[in-house]
Amino acid sequence: GDSVTQMEGPVTLSEEAFLTINCTYTATGYPSLFWYVQYPGEGLQLLLKATKADDKGSNKGFEATYRKETTSFHLEKGSVQVSDSAVYFCALISYSGTYKYIFGTGTRLKVLA
Amino acid sequence: DAMVIQNPRYQVTQFGKPVTLSCSQTLNHNVMYWYQQKSSQAPKLLFHYYDKDFNNEADTPDNFQSRRPNTSFCFLDIRSPGLGDAAMYLCATSRGQTGTDTQYFGPGTRLTVL
């Protein structure tokens, strides 16, 4: 079945460092891809999405490009802030009789001042 | 501007005492979902409603039920909570259920079972 694989965390960075969180997927066809962010004690917030190959999603300085050749959707940010500390989930929409989200296991990011 | 609202944000119940969690939405979306999330793991889908049509996941325990009295509201009922049901419960909505429909999540209700 479809699946999403994220890099293990936690990822610990200093403020203003460059961030990459890897996400690869296995799916039939070309599913829509998402990044969600979850701050401590909160629900999931949509960060960005891409619905077709080569699309680039971007929001709040974060970017991710839908790469069908490498089946990847890596999240990047040029300069992280302490306020970016959170758990990041990569997800895709999978179809098996009905459309559902498949989430990765999440990657915790800690940014130190 | 809140779009998906969950009440309460924190709920404490006793072992075996029924509890109801509430979700409302101002997006007029057709689909409403309930997820269970433990310890920053990935959310686990319990069930969803497409309009009035209820869809249960195969591995959702019978202890969990849901009601959707109208488009805006959806409830999660836990009939006899066990210690293992302590978790964050997330409500989400989407306009439809296609390959591009985005889900929008509420802030969650953290359930503690004593």
Side-chain angles (χ1 to χ4, degrees):
Chain A
D2 295 353
S3 66
V4 175
T5 302
Q6 287 183 237
M7 62 190 291
E8 294 259 345
V11 173
T12 303
L13 296 173
S14 298
E15 209 165 22
E16 299 184 2
F18 185 86
L19 168 71
T20 300
I21 299 178
N22 290 338
C23 171
T24 57
Y25 67 89
T26 302
T28 306
Y30 303 108
S32 294
L33 300 172
F34 304 83
W35 276 103
Y36 282 84
V37 58
Q38 186 172 35
Y39 298 102
E42 299 291 325
L44 274 66
Q45 297 178 24
L46 177 67
L47 187 56
L48 52 85
K49 68 178 184 180
T51 57
K52 60 183 188 295
D54 299 325
D55 268 2
K56 176 186 281 189
S58 62
N59 186 27
K60 298 180 182 178
F62 290 89
E63 291 183 343
T65 301
Y66 192 139
R67 305 274 188 209
K68 66 177 182 180
E69 309 84 11
T70 53
T71 61
S72 65
F73 192 55
H74 304 323
L75 182 68
E76 296 181 337
K77 187 176 185 184
S79 177
V80 293
Q81 306 300 313
V82 173
S83 57
D84 293 326
S85 298
V87 179
Y88 293 80
F89 288 96
C90 184
L92 61 80
I93 296 182
S94 174
Y95 182 79
S96 57
T98 186
Y99 288 101
K100 296 177 187 176
Y101 271 30
I102 303 291
F103 286 94
T105 51
T107 301
R108 182 176 298 278
L109 170 66
K110 297 171 66 173
V111 180
L112 305 176
Chain B
D1 281 272
M3 296 182 291
V4 183
I5 302 155
Q6 291 189 243
N7 285 306
R9 294 291 310 277
Y10 301 91
Q11 176 73 57
V12 180
T13 191
Q14 292 181 334
F15 183 94
K17 185 174 181 181
V19 66
T20 294
L21 309 183
S22 169
C23 177
S24 63
Q25 55 133 340
T26 60
L27 297 164
N28 204 34
H29 280 174
N30 294 309
V31 192
M32 296 186 77
Y33 308 82
W34 280 104
Y35 288 87
Q36 180 191 65
Q37 187 184 29
K38 295 186 176 183
S39 302
S40 286
Q41 295 176 17
K44 178 180 180 299
L45 182 63
L46 296 174
F47 26 57
H48 73 274
Y49 272 95
Y50 196 125
D51 291 332
K52 293 183 184 298
D53 292 333
F54 177 71
N55 298 271
N56 200 32
E57 292 301 297
D59 57 353
T60 298
D62 293 340
N63 199 24
F64 292 87
Q65 310 268 307
S66 185
R67 296 171 283 134
R68 190 179 185 185
N70 54 52
T71 300
S72 300
F73 284 86
C74 195
F75 300 98
L76 169 62
D77 301 307
I78 308 176
R79 293 193 298 186
S80 182
L83 298 179
D85 297 327
M88 174 78 91
Y89 289 88
L90 299 169
C91 175
T93 75
S94 64
R95 184 181 306 277
Q97 255 190 324
T98 69
T100 58
D101 275 299
T102 300
Q103 291 188 20
Y104 297 91
F105 286 79
T109 295
R110 179 161 299 282
L111 177 68
T112 300
V113 182
L114 301 177

